[in-house]
Amino acid sequence: KQEVTQIPAALSVPEGENLVLNCSFTDSAIYNLQWFRQDPGKGLTSLLLIQSSQREQTSGRLNASLDKSSGRSTLYIAASQPGDSATYLCAVRTGTYKYIFGTGTRLKVLA
Amino acid sequence: GAGVSQSPRYKVAKRGQDVALRCDPISGHVSLFWYQQALGQGPEFLTYFQNEAQLDKSGLPSDRFFAERPEGSVSTLKIQRTQQEDSAVYLCASSTSSGNTIYFGEGSWLTVV
């Protein structure tokens, strides 16, 4: 059974720091991996999607990497800003449609 | 519509009441998902539709939970005889048939008292 773990569960950093969020999964047979952002009281917004054949994806200050064989992904956020404060969730797609989510990392960026 | 729309946004139900949660997916999206998110947890899969066909309902926690999508667009998640453990956010998401990105609604927050 696929399990997704995110470390750390919570993180507080001063503005301007570069930071790394970690995601690990137990079954390497995945179709893709997505990183989502969730603001309090809101739904999920997709940030980056990495196909199983890809190693990384970049969007602005965000970079996500995927090492399928070791069951790991990282989300790198450069020059963090208070507006980055949110919960970040990773999810792996198993089979043709189902996503399995981690429990998330709650990020707080202090001004 | 422009995004996935869910209603009601907030619902307080007395234990034992039936509730119905509605999801209006992005126009033209074939795939529709329901997820349940407890406080401080990640979303957990409930069920999946492709058009009007419910292809997977393996995540529904009990036979009190029922979902339908009769015309292949709007979907309703119904919970009968609600219990306190049903309190959660119910998220709906949709995607195109070949799409990898799924688009989430803002959720229906259910509190059972």
Side-chain angles (χ1 to χ4, degrees):
Chain A
K1 179 187 170 186
Q2 179 73 270
E3 292 184 2
V4 181
T5 304
Q6 291 187 245
I7 295 173
L11 184 61
S12 186
V13 300
E15 181 177 7
E17 269 202 13
N18 303 324
L19 54 100
V20 174
L21 308 181
N22 297 292
C23 172
S24 61
F25 46 96
T26 54
D27 186 345
S28 62
I30 63 170
Y31 275 63
N32 62 44
L33 182 146
Q34 273 195 72
W35 282 93
F36 292 86
R37 169 184 174 139
Q38 187 173 32
D39 292 284
K42 302 291 186 182
L44 281 68
T45 301
S46 179
L47 297 172
L48 288 166
L49 182 151
I50 312 176
Q51 301 289 358
S52 62
S53 58
Q54 296 176 321
R55 300 284 291 184
E56 66 177 337
Q57 282 287 335
T58 298
S59 176
R61 293 182 295 108
L62 305 180
N63 175 277
S65 67
L66 174 64
D67 184 344
K68 206 172 76 157
S69 61
S70 67
R72 294 183 181 185
S73 176
T74 60
L75 178 66
Y76 175 83
I77 303 176
S80 58
Q81 303 171 357
D84 295 331
S85 298
T87 295
Y88 291 81
L89 294 150
C90 76
V92 296
R93 180 172 166 180
T94 64
T96 56
Y97 56 85
K98 188 181 291 188
Y99 278 93
I100 307 296
F101 283 84
T103 53
T105 294
R106 293 186 309 281
L107 173 66
K108 188 165 187 178
V109 181
L110 304 170
Chain B
V4 179
S5 178
Q6 293 189 244
S7 62
R9 286 293 323 278
Y10 305 94
K11 175 72 178 178
V12 178
K14 291 185 179 177
R15 192 172 58 173
Q17 262 187 329
D18 297 349
V19 299
L21 309 176
R22 175 189 167 106
C23 173
D24 203 337
I26 294 172
S27 179
H29 276 193
V30 167
S31 299
L32 185 145
F33 308 81
W34 283 98
Y35 280 82
Q36 181 190 57
Q37 187 176 23
L39 193 65
Q41 301 296 312
E44 299 220 353
F45 173 83
L46 293 178
T47 187
Y48 165 67
F49 289 86
Q50 189 173 83
N51 295 306
E52 68 277 5
Q54 189 176 23
L55 299 186
D56 188 337
K57 54 182 182 179
S58 62
L60 296 176
S62 77
D63 59 8
R64 296 186 295 102
F65 287 70
F66 172 76
E68 60 183 5
R69 194 186 185 197
E71 296 178 359
S73 62
V74 171
S75 176
T76 303
L77 176 66
K78 297 179 179 178
I79 309 172
Q80 297 178 322
R81 304 182 303 281
T82 52
Q83 304 293 316
Q84 282 191 319
E85 62 262 29
D86 300 336
S87 296
V89 181
Y90 291 86
L91 295 164
C92 177
S94 70
S95 74
T96 60
S97 59
S98 58
N100 287 301
T101 300
I102 55 175
Y103 299 87
F104 281 84
E106 295 200 324
S108 289
W109 293 65
L110 173 65
T111 302
V112 181
V113 297

